[in-house]
Amino acid sequence: MVVDSGAPVRVGIFGGTFDPPHLGHLVAASEAAFQVGLDEVVFVPTGDPWQKNHLSVTDAASRLAMTRLAVAADPRFRVSTCDIDRDGFTYAIDTVADVKAEYDRAVESYFIFGADSLEKLHTWHRVDELGAAVEFVALNRPGHSRRDARTSSGVRVQFVDMPGVDISSSDCRRRVGSGEPVRYLVPAPVEEYILAQRLYSD
């Protein structure tokens, strides 16, 4: 955590199932930190994500352990357990409030997510309050710029162009289940954890 006093700390909040966390997540966080000028990026593994509650998600303890292993090498990154600790569905507005409460100084909050989600932003829980509490950092995948995407009025969005890292958690899970390697797709400690715990294997 940033401990220097004075100006507000600029914090990027990066939520996700992280099932598993892969190198694309780390590149996204690093690029957002660089382009937006963030002091810290907080990875927040979801507890019970309300918009994904129809999907099978690996247990929270395993996803938390993998996320901690994934970010351990970068001093700009840390993990918050606020969504896992909270009962009920995971909503971004609650995540932002809980992460800000973890600091003993003023916080400027930036919510990091994929630019392809902008079109569904109006469906988010209490999105008007969320838009007043944070500035959104929308990640543009190569070849899919959303700078002209329509957003809710008053919502502040900074667009960050991602380097070309074509990795997805679902493909990593599929590869493990098929006996294919995920080396160089996920951080080495995450790969070791997956194999040791026999995650994603039938």
Side-chain angles (χ1 to χ4, degrees):
M1 178 180 295
V2 177
V3 295
D4 187 26
S5 60
V9 59
R10 295 166 61 88
V11 176
I13 300 170
F14 191 14
T17 50
F18 301 122
D19 191 16
H22 52 69
L23 295 184
H25 291 129
L26 301 183
V27 170
S30 178
E31 202 66 21
F34 173 72
Q35 293 194 33
V36 181
L38 303 177
D39 297 309
E40 191 165 69
V41 176
V42 182
F43 286 66
V44 188
T46 54
D48 189 0
W50 73 274
Q51 288 187 323
K52 294 187 177 182
N53 64 348
H54 62 292
L55 302 177
S56 176
V57 179
T58 303
D59 66 279
S62 294
R63 291 185 290 108
L64 175 59
M66 288 189 289
T67 306
R68 283 175 166 159
L69 290 169
V71 309
D74 196 320
R76 300 170 301 171
F77 300 162
R78 73 174 181 89
V79 178
S80 172
T81 64
C82 64
D83 280 358
I84 289 174
D85 294 340
R86 188 189 315 109
D87 293 331
F89 287 138
T90 292
Y91 296 113
I93 187 67
D94 299 320
T95 302
V96 170
D98 287 348
V99 169
K100 289 179 72 171
E102 295 173 358
Y103 293 83
D104 58 2
R105 57 184 286 196
V107 175
E108 291 181 1
S109 302
Y110 298 79
F111 196 87
I112 303 169
F113 69 125
D116 53 345
S117 296
L118 277 172
E119 294 170 357
K120 295 184 179 179
L121 191 61
H122 67 282
T123 70
W124 289 22
H125 184 63
R126 293 162 56 192
V127 67
D128 290 338
E129 293 179 52
L130 179 63
V134 303
E135 184 162 337
F136 291 102
V137 176
L139 301 170
N140 275 322
R141 294 181 177 86
H144 296 85
S145 176
R146 299 295 180 107
R147 295 183 190 281
D148 59 349
R150 294 181 180 179
T151 60
S152 302
S153 60
V155 170
R156 296 161 293 167
V157 182
Q158 288 194 51
F159 290 87
V160 169
D161 290 327
M162 279 276 295
V165 182
D166 189 14
I167 306 173
S168 70
S169 292
S170 59
D171 190 53
C172 289
R173 296 193 301 270
R174 181 198 62 76
R175 290 179 65 89
V176 173
S178 300
E180 300 173 53
V182 290
R183 181 169 294 184
Y184 311 124
L185 300 179
V186 301
V190 173
E191 179 195 18
E192 293 170 6
Y193 184 92
I194 290 171
L195 297 177
Q197 299 298 317
R198 300 183 62 82
L199 296 181
Y200 314 129
S201 300
D202 294 334

